[in-house]
Amino acid sequence: MSQKNHVYQSISRAVKDQGVTTMFGLMGDANLFMVDSFVRDFEGRFIPAAHEGSTILMALAYAHVSGTVGVATVTHGPGLTNCTTALTEAARGLVPLVILAGDTPIDNPRHLQSIDQRSLVNATGAGFEQLRTPATACKDVARAFYRAQVERRPIVLNMPADFMWEEAEYEKHVLDVFTAPGGVAEGDILDDAVGMIASAKRPLILAGAGAIGARDQLVRLADRLEAPLATTLKAKGLFNDHAYNIDIFGTLSTPVAYELIALSDCIICFGTSLHDFTTDRGKLMKSTRIVQIDVDPAAIGGGMHPDVALVADAGLTAETIVYWMDEAEIPASGFTRELDADTLTTHPAGSAKESDGYVNYVHALERLEEALPKDRLLVTDGGRFMTEVWCRLSVPNPQSFVCTVNFGSIGLGLQEAVGAGIAAPDRPVVLFSGDGGFMMGGINEFNTAVRLGLDLIVIIANDSAYGAEHIQFVDREMDPSLTEFHWPSFVDVAKSLGGDGFEVRSKEELEKALEALKNRKGPYLIELRLDPLDVPRMRI
C-alpha cells in the first residue's frame, strides 16, 4: 500500500529499501533532511566526512571491501565540484556507487551555487540520473542503484532542493540485477583458444580484478596445464597459497618471475585490460601468444591486441578449457616442473645505506611486513614510495587490498582507509601514505577516523619532498629544492587530532614504534623519516 511522504523521506526510505545500512556524506542545504530521515526514521548509519570528495572515496573503499553498492551524499554546487577527482577515481576503477547529490532549486536559475551538474558529472566518467519529479523519486532512486550495478560505475542522482518538502505517494521499487555468470565461449574462436593453449609448452595464467570470483576454477586450470599463476596489482593476493604463484605480473614482478614471463609462449588472461604497467608497455608480450577472456567487450584489445579474444565469464571459460583438454586427452605442459617455487616471489634486497637521521625504507618495510597484523586491510595512497609497498607487503586476498591508482592522484588514501574500516570493523586497517599525500588529503580525515574509533595504523613515508618530481630534477642534475618541504611533525599532528604516533629515524626507533603499536587504542601513526636521495625508484 502506498502512503504520502515528503520527498526527502521518500528518498531515504527508498535507499533503505535497496538494502543500504551505511551512508557516507557531508550535509548541506539540499540533503540534510534526507540524511536526518535516513538515520532517525530508518535506523541507517551516517558517516560524516570533513570534505565532500572524501565521502566518495570512503564509499568506494566500503564497496570494494564489502562487495556491496557504496552510497554517499553531498550538497549542490561546490559540494559536488569538490568531488570531481574522487568521482573520476571511482569511475575508472569500475566501482558501483550511488551518490545522492543535491541540486539548486529549479525555480532559481540565478542561485549562487548553481552549476550545470550533469556536464560536471559526465566529465568524470560517472553516470548521471535526474530525479525527475516528486512523484517519481522512488523509481529514480531504484534506477540509480540498478545502473550502478550493471554499469559498474558511480551514478549521481541529482536531487533539486525545492523538491524535498513536496509530498508524494511512496511505493517501493527495487530493480533486481541479474548476477549469474556471463556467457560461455563457444564456436570456432573457442576451438582456436583451446588449440593455442593445448599446444603451449610454457603456458601462464594471469588473473585481473575481473577474475577474482573465479579463483578456484583458475587454480584447477593451472594445475591441469601445469602452468604458473600471476595476478595484476588489483588482484594481488588471489593465489597466495599456491606453490606456483608468481604474484604480481609486469613491472612489479620479481626478477625471477619477470624472466619466467618472458619465457612463456602463451599467456591466458582472465579479467584484465592488459594496460602498460601490466605488460611493461608491451615488452612482456612481444613474442607471446595472448588469449584474453573478459565479460566486458570494451576490455578486449584495450591494451595489447590478443591473438584470441573471448567475451565470456572467467570461471565458466576456465572450466570449459579443462573439459576439452580432458576430452582430447591433452597432456600437461610440464612448465611448473622446471621452476624453483621458493624463488618466484622473492624481491631483491634493498640498499643497505643508513643515512644519519633517516631510517632505511626497505628495511622498514620488511620489518613492518613481519610485525603488522596479518588479518590487515592494506590501503595505499599514491606517490613514489608505493611500488615497494605493493611488492613487499602481503594481503590476505584482493578484497583486503585497496590501492588508489585509477587516476594517478595522491591524497586519496586516508579517506579510503576510513571506508575500508567501516566495511570491516573487526579488522585493522593499515594505510601507507607519502608526506605530500597526507598533507593533501590525510589531515582532513584523520580526525574522522579518531571520532569513529577505527583501528587504523597510518605509515607515513616522509622524505620531505614531492618525490616523483624530486627525482626528475636530480636525474637532470638540477636543483630539486622547489620540490622539498619542511612539514610539521606528523606525529604531533596525529596527537593534536586525537590519535597517537611515533617518529622513526633509525632501526632502533623503528623497533620501539612497533612495540608501542601493540598497545594502540585508536588511530596510530608511524612517521618514517626518509632520505629523499635514497628512496627506491618507482617500478613502473
Side-chain angles (χ1 to χ4, degrees), residues 1 13 70 166 221 225 253 295 365 369 406 410 447 466 481:
M1 178 182 290
R13 184 174 178 182
E166 296 288 327
L221 175 59
L225 295 173
S253 294
V295 292
L365 292 180
E369 165 64 12
N406 298 307
I410 67 171
N447 180 252
Y466 279 103
S481 59

Side-chain angles (χ1 to χ4, degrees), residues 17-48:
D17 282 345
Q18 302 296 324
V20 175
T21 58
T22 301
M23 180 187 296
F24 301 88
L26 205 162
M27 291 191 294
D29 289 348
N31 66 345
L32 74 168
F33 300 113
M34 181 275 294
V35 169
D36 182 78
S37 176
F38 179 73
V39 173
R40 295 181 191 276
D41 299 336
F42 304 106
E43 300 180 340
R45 186 181 188 189
F46 179 65
I47 309 296

Side-chain angles (χ1 to χ4, degrees), residues 79-417:
L80 187 59
T81 61
N82 279 343
C83 298
T84 51
T85 296
L87 276 174
T88 307
E89 172 76 12
R92 295 190 179 185
L94 305 177
V95 180
L97 303 179
V98 170
I99 295 88
L100 304 164
D103 199 358
T104 50
I106 292 173
D107 64 1
N108 185 4
R110 295 181 180 273
H111 190 285
L112 177 64
Q113 294 186 332
S114 179
I115 187 175
D116 181 354
Q117 298 199 163
R118 182 188 294 270
S119 295
L120 179 75
V121 169
N122 288 341
T124 69
F128 186 89
E129 188 73 28
Q130 180 65 46
L131 199 157
R132 296 164 291 171
T133 68
T136 63
C138 306
K139 292 179 180 178
D140 296 333
V141 170
R143 172 74 177 165
F145 275 86
Y146 175 80
R147 288 185 60 195
Q149 293 171 85
V150 299
E151 297 176 22
R152 295 191 304 155
R153 62 172 176 160
I155 303 296
V156 175
L157 179 63
N158 203 59
M159 311 180 303
D162 49 344
F163 284 4
M164 293 302 167
W165 285 90
E166 296 288 327
E167 287 193 340
E169 297 288 334
Y170 181 87
E171 191 173 346
K172 182 176 179 179
H173 288 278
V174 176
L175 293 170
D176 289 332
V177 177
F178 183 66
T179 55
V184 182
E186 56 186 5
D188 292 344
I189 297 178
L190 175 62
D191 293 342
D192 290 345
V194 173
M196 195 173 291
I197 294 165
S199 63
K201 302 300 182 188
R202 296 180 300 278
L204 185 149
I205 292 172
L206 170 62
I212 288 173
R215 181 197 177 280
D216 293 345
Q217 296 95 320
L218 297 186
V219 167
R220 281 196 292 273
L221 175 59
D223 292 344
R224 175 65 179 81
L225 295 173
E226 294 185 358
L229 289 152
T231 73
T232 63
L233 175 65
K234 288 188 178 182
K236 177 179 169 65
L238 186 62
F239 304 121
N240 276 345
D241 56 352
H242 196 277
Y244 296 104
N245 167 38
I246 69 169
D247 204 27
I248 303 174
F249 182 108
T251 57
L252 301 175
S253 294
T254 67
V256 171
Y258 194 94
E259 289 179 14
L260 182 154
I261 294 166
L263 287 173
S264 300
D265 58 1
C266 181
I267 301 177
I268 313 154
C269 310
F270 293 89
T272 169
S273 60
L274 299 176
H275 60 57
D276 280 354
F277 299 140
T278 298
T279 67
D280 197 0
R281 294 169 180 79
K283 286 189 286 188
L284 276 171
M285 306 271 198
K286 268 186 179 175
S287 56
T288 305
R289 289 181 167 182
I290 303 170
V291 179
Q292 188 177 6
I293 300 106
D294 206 296
V295 292
D296 181 7
I300 303 292
M304 296 293 298
H305 192 82
D307 295 279
V308 177
L310 306 175
V311 179
D313 176 76
L316 293 177
T317 302
E319 289 175 349
T320 301
I321 295 169
V322 170
Y323 172 82
W324 287 115
M325 295 279 291
D326 289 345
E327 282 289 298
E329 298 182 351
I330 303 294
S333 71
F335 188 24
T336 52
R337 299 174 210 168
E338 306 170 14
L339 307 178
D340 180 357
D342 293 335
T343 66
L344 295 176
T345 57
T346 303
H347 287 276
S351 161
K353 180 179 176 182
E354 290 186 51
S355 306
D356 236 13
Y358 300 109
V359 67
N360 180 279
Y361 187 44
V362 171
H363 169 75
L365 292 180
E366 289 171 348
R367 283 295 295 123
L368 287 162
E369 165 64 12
E370 294 169 357
L372 289 170
K374 299 305 177 200
D375 64 336
R376 59 186 173 251
L377 297 165
L378 177 65
V379 182
T380 61
D381 202 307
R384 71 165 165 172
F385 71 91
M386 65 186 174
T387 56
E388 290 302 315
V389 176
W390 295 339
C391 293
R392 298 179 187 275
L393 270 289
S394 61
V395 294
N397 51 57
Q399 293 86 352
S400 300
F401 178 49
V402 181
C403 51
T404 62
V405 297
N406 298 307
F407 192 33
S409 175
I410 67 171
L412 311 183
L414 202 144
Q415 304 91 311
E416 297 206 26

